[in-house]
Amino acid sequence: MRGALVKELGRLPEPAEVDAPAPEPGRALVEIRAVPLNPIDIALAAGRHYLGPPPIPYVPGSEGVGVVLEGEALVAGTRVYVSDDGLGRERDGTLRERVTVIEEEAIPLPAGVSDEIAGACGIAGLAGWLPVVWRAKTGPGDRVLVLGATGTVGLAAVQAACIAGADRVVAAGRRPEGLERAAEAGADAVVRLDEADLGSAFREAVGGDGATVVIDPLWGEPLVAALEAAAPGARVIQIGQSAGATATIPSALVRGKQVELVGYSNFVVPDDVRREAYRRLVEGAAAGRITFPVETYPLERVAEAWQRQAEGAGVKLVVRV
């Protein structure tokens, strides 16, 4: 069976013949068509994620879109999104022609949404959507500042804030083309992260007495600037560290404004919340209300796609199997 194999930590995966999964009771056999790449895949294969990789060599890939070949509850031919169930973390992942998954973990997909967009709505889409609608409970009256809005996660957060009815949504990032996409997706204003006085730029763009919600996949200096521009009682949802693993935050910014600084991770979201959020995302994509830029690679070029993901592609990269 064709697949991609990580043969040594720190090395790029390469196309290879891999073992076919054995049928198991309660699990569906799924033929994989499209596999989105994610930062967690890169970190696991590099040996720098706290979860640790599966035993080497292993097949990476934490999620995928495919078609059911065999199942007990799922009808053969059903197109599904699969993730979790230890894929790419505790056992071989989705970068291969076939996988088995617990049937409850396979989510049937509506017509009208491509394999690639359905994949983008998964790990990355949820990491942007849920911090806004579930963790921050964003709604009318909120002014939302999305850091790192030029990536798939940030773009999902921008669209989530708009759909949630926020009064104002500001997108911040480094890539001009990504900020343009965020504006097209509904952001009321955009801010370049290389502004000389970033805190002032945030305050001016957000308006009022500052941002009531901050979505932060960056950490580091951008977060400190966002806290300077936050309103009293702001909810700051921390979801990543793309700008650095540490941040020097003056305590007065947290105490003086009574800021709520809370963390978010896809891994700790209750299953029912995650599944319902994914359905909303993919239904929104099928209806044209949610969109993501996607680039595809064939399995034979998985190493090239992997390298681009590691360097920060700015679009969703998907490997066709």
Side-chain angles (χ1 to χ4, degrees), residues 82-99:
V82 300
S83 67
D84 206 15
D85 197 15
L87 288 166
R89 301 189 301 276
E90 300 166 9
R91 63 189 182 100
D92 281 342
T94 51
L95 270 167
R96 49 181 170 157
E97 291 180 308
R98 297 181 179 185
V99 302

Side-chain angles (χ1 to χ4, degrees), residues 122 126 200:
L126 290 172
S200 294

Side-chain angles (χ1 to χ4, degrees), residues 2 24 40 66 68 117 147 156 184 189-190 196 205 223 225 234-235 310:
R2 293 190 319 140
E24 300 178 62
I40 185 175
V68 174
I117 294 297
L147 305 179
E184 292 171 353
V190 299
L223 171 63
R235 293 100 73 199

Side-chain angles (χ1 to χ4, degrees), residues 185-236:
D188 298 291
V190 299
V191 176
R192 288 282 299 269
L193 289 178
D194 56 4
E195 291 277 357
D197 186 347
L198 191 54
S200 294
F202 285 159
R203 281 191 294 273
E204 182 178 350
V206 171
D209 60 353
T212 61
V213 174
V214 176
I215 305 300
D216 173 39
L218 302 181
W219 202 241
E221 294 182 5
L223 171 63
V224 178
L227 288 171
E228 292 172 356
R235 293 100 73 199
V236 180

Side-chain angles (χ1 to χ4, degrees), residues 70 80 83 98 115 145 197 265 274 290 292:
E70 299 176 19
V80 294
S83 67
R98 297 181 179 185
D115 295 341
L145 171 60
D197 186 347
S265 170
R274 175 176 56 83
I290 296 170
F292 300 105

Side-chain angles (χ1 to χ4, degrees), residues 63-86:
E63 61 181 341
V65 174
V67 176
V68 174
L69 296 178
E70 299 176 19
E72 296 174 1
L74 290 168
V75 177
T78 303
R79 194 167 62 113
V80 294
Y81 166 78
V82 300
S83 67
D84 206 15
D85 197 15

